[in-house]
Amino acid sequence: MQVSVLEGGFADAPVQSARAFREIMTAMAQPGRINTVDGAHAPGISVASSVALLTLCDPDTPLYLAPSLDTADLRNWIAFHTAAPLVTPDKASFALGAWSELLGQDFPIGIPEYPDRSATLIVEMPALSATGATLRGPGIKDMARLSLPDADAMRDNTRLFPLGMDFILTCGSQLAAMPRTTRID
Amino acid sequence: MKMSDYNFAYLDEQTKRMIRRAILKGLAIPGYQVPFASREMPMPYGWGTGGVQVSAAVMVPEDTLKVIDQGADDTTNAVSIRRFFEKTAGVAVTEHTDQANVIQTRHRIPEQDLTEGQILVYQVPIPEPLRFLEPSEVETRKMHSLEEYGLMHVKLYEDIAQHGAIATAYAYPVRVEGRYVMDPSPIPKFDNPKLTMAGIQLFGAGREQRIYALPPYTDVVSLDFEDFPFEASKADHACGLCGAIDSYLDELIVDDQGARMFMCSDTDYCAGRQEETAA
């Protein structure tokens, strides 16, 4: 196994994953908020996506990798650092990829009795900024703005509430989140 | 024992990841109870094991922790949980609401408004608001999925029919974002209006294995009727120690003649007001 696969994890997992989770949680609690994370880098993906994988994924969380990210290096890195099983979209609790590759896939959206059994999509973005679509809903005082990959598809997802997917948007070392509750004007 | 003898914040990493995933889904579906695999903690059920697990999963070493039990920082439950995290997470602790990042609470919301960035963790005994009306979990899940909340209004109506007013004084049911009916834990209904706040609210029920959450500024409405609107009631007195008329009061019997005194349940709020008066 190549050395690069063994590197790029947290040096001090308990503390670094605690700090990383605080950033992910405050992003999910306040849609539109952009947080910065560090401490992990997997081959071929952003620091923020790597941190999200390390913080949230383990053998209990089936993961879907978009085709262009599905390299031997990344597969090995995920296997070594998280041991998350790689699966097809319909069985995934997490997914990682660019928007164009995740769009239209058949991810779990939960069931009426258990809406939490839905996928969380980690979306690699070319840029992330507090501009663009207007967001309202839980976690947002009046309104917020966020550069969404696809406002129409996210609006459709919001209409599924309380079912639906949740999104973690990543770019470099930055991340933001879009839960299913956020209304897009 | 030194702090380094424990994993940071006591729980193992896989357990924390599992709790963290439940918290994220809870925040994404406000008011919905997310099942989680609650662990045995080194304290009995009913002593805040759910709250402790949630606090352990969100805590970072830089945090300052405050723990209150019915508003008080100096009661057994609060002191033991504070010491638990001092020992296992090495975090700073405080009794001042405005200096804390993470506040674990049993059955009160601090009088002082929380600000953005603060996290309020509730200890929850029975997370299911419909449980005393419908004992079956299968049925209550179905009721939540169908938004079938008529039974709760019947319960409040029966209060009015029997007592002339809604007699429910604590754990007063709320509706979150017009969707899920939620038990705000046994906080007095005086605290219900504060459930819409700038801080993040996380609810942990250890024995019942549920986590739920309210993101900041979430719309939370106490259930009521047009002709019997919700009232955030408190004892009709001023605090005997600080004179506050706007805080929730505990009634205390102070001698064997039955003399009573009302005092703030929030000890930090009361002490702060007394210091201000003295200065």
Side-chain angles (χ1 to χ4, degrees):
Chain A
M1 194 178 272
Q2 288 174 327
V3 178
S4 65
V5 168
L6 306 181
E7 289 174 343
F10 288 143
D12 183 1
V15 168
Q16 284 181 292
S17 58
R19 290 191 189 123
F21 177 69
R22 177 64 64 83
E23 302 302 327
I24 296 170
M25 182 183 78
T26 51
M28 189 63 84
Q30 294 172 274
R33 181 187 167 118
I34 298 173
N35 286 339
T36 306
V37 292
D38 62 6
H41 54 93
I45 59 172
S46 65
V47 168
S49 293
S50 312
V51 167
L53 288 179
L54 279 190
T55 308
L56 300 172
C57 294
D58 59 27
D60 292 337
T61 58
L63 172 67
Y64 170 74
L65 275 187
S68 67
L69 295 176
D70 198 352
T71 61
D73 272 358
L74 186 56
R75 274 178 170 255
N76 288 335
W77 190 89
I78 288 168
F80 179 74
H81 290 277
T82 73
L86 297 180
V87 295
T88 52
D90 59 313
K91 296 188 179 67
S93 46
F94 286 90
L96 173 64
W99 183 258
S100 58
E101 291 189 289
L102 298 179
L103 180 68
Q105 301 271 25
D106 186 22
F107 292 110
I109 57 168
I111 57 174
E113 282 86 359
Y114 293 94
D116 58 304
R117 293 180 186 173
S118 62
T120 302
L121 273 48
I122 303 170
V123 185
E124 290 256 296
M125 303 269 292
L128 200 54
S129 64
T131 56
T134 309
L135 314 180
R136 294 177 209 280
I140 302 168
K141 191 173 186 185
D142 299 311
M143 60 90 108
R145 283 183 188 282
L146 189 63
S147 53
L148 298 178
D150 185 341
D152 285 337
M154 292 220 170
R155 221 173 265 132
D156 291 345
N157 183 60
T158 300
R159 276 193 208 107
L160 298 172
F161 182 82
L163 306 186
M165 297 171 285
D166 307 304
F167 303 91
I168 297 173
L169 311 177
T170 66
C171 176
S173 59
Q174 293 185 314
L175 60 82
M178 276 287 293
R180 63 195 80 176
T181 47
T182 304
R183 297 183 290 276
I184 302 158
D185 289 351
Chain B
M1 223 178 209
K2 295 195 306 293
M3 172 214 155
S4 55
D5 294 331
Y6 291 97
N7 190 36
F8 173 71
Y10 186 78
L11 294 171
D12 63 278
E13 288 308 297
Q14 191 166 0
T15 298
K16 280 193 268 181
R17 276 193 297 270
M18 175 269 296
I19 295 171
R20 286 167 180 163
R21 290 192 295 262
I23 291 172
L24 289 187
K25 286 299 174 193
L27 286 166
I29 319 165
Y32 166 75
Q33 303 161 52
V34 185
F36 82 111
S38 178
R39 299 295 195 247
E40 293 277 338
M41 296 301 285
M43 60 192 71
Y45 287 131
W47 284 71
T49 54
V52 166
Q53 290 178 78
V54 170
S55 293
V58 301
M59 203 172 279
V60 298
E62 297 77 25
D63 274 337
T64 303
L65 174 73
K66 170 183 164 87
V67 185
I68 52 174
D69 174 1
Q70 304 265 16
D73 291 274
D74 52 3
T75 52
T76 313
N77 199 192
V79 171
S80 61
I81 291 171
R82 208 158 54 223
R83 286 196 185 146
F84 175 78
F85 281 118
E86 275 187 288
K87 197 186 238 183
T88 61
V91 292
V93 296
T94 183
E95 295 193 358
H96 299 301
T97 304
D98 54 356
Q99 290 170 16
N101 311 88
V102 177
I103 303 174
Q104 183 170 330
T105 175
R106 177 177 172 273
H107 310 353
R108 268 316 305 278
I109 298 175
E111 300 291 348
Q112 190 177 338
D113 285 341
L114 266 60
T115 53
E116 266 187 41
Q118 286 184 304
I119 300 168
L120 186 59
V121 179
Y122 294 77
Q123 303 172 197
V124 182
I126 307 286
E128 176 52 72
L130 304 166
R131 181 59 69 236
F132 291 109
L133 307 170
E134 170 52 63
S136 158
E137 170 70 10
V138 175
E139 289 301 319
T140 52
R141 268 210 179 257
K142 200 175 286 173
M143 289 159 81
H144 281 294
S145 73
L146 297 172
E147 288 186 72
E148 178 50 71
Y149 295 128
L151 205 54
M152 186 58 89
H153 277 103
V154 171
K155 188 222 172 226
L156 296 176
Y157 167 76
E158 284 180 351
D159 262 13
I160 296 169
Q162 282 185 20
H163 306 288
I166 298 178
T168 306
Y170 64 95
Y172 191 102
V174 295
R175 188 121 194 218
V176 179
E177 286 286 324
R179 181 58 181 84
Y180 284 99
V181 165
M182 186 190 96
D183 182 341
S185 87
I187 58 173
K189 67 177 172 183
F190 174 80
D191 283 345
N192 273 26
K194 285 185 274 182
L195 286 164
T196 299
M197 64 156 74
I200 297 174
Q201 297 171 86
L202 305 173
F203 299 77
R207 183 190 53 213
E208 303 292 321
Q209 313 201 320
R210 296 290 183 272
I211 285 172
Y212 50 107
L214 296 173
Y217 314 113
T218 299
D219 178 39
V220 181
V221 178
S222 303
L223 297 181
D224 61 0
F225 298 98
E226 276 175 20
D227 48 346
F228 283 88
F230 171 79
E231 260 181 273
S233 60
K234 65 182 272 287
D236 190 18
H237 290 268
C239 171
L241 298 176
C242 75
I245 51 168
D246 57 352
S247 70
Y248 189 73
L249 302 174
D250 286 336
E251 184 180 8
L252 215 72
I253 294 172
V254 291
D255 60 22
D256 56 2
Q257 307 299 310
R260 285 146 202 275
M261 187 172 157
F262 288 88
M263 59 180 76
C264 294
S265 109
D266 185 333
T267 51
D268 174 51
Y269 180 77
C270 195
R273 281 180 51 88
Q274 289 177 64
E275 271 170 34
E276 266 173 40
T277 318

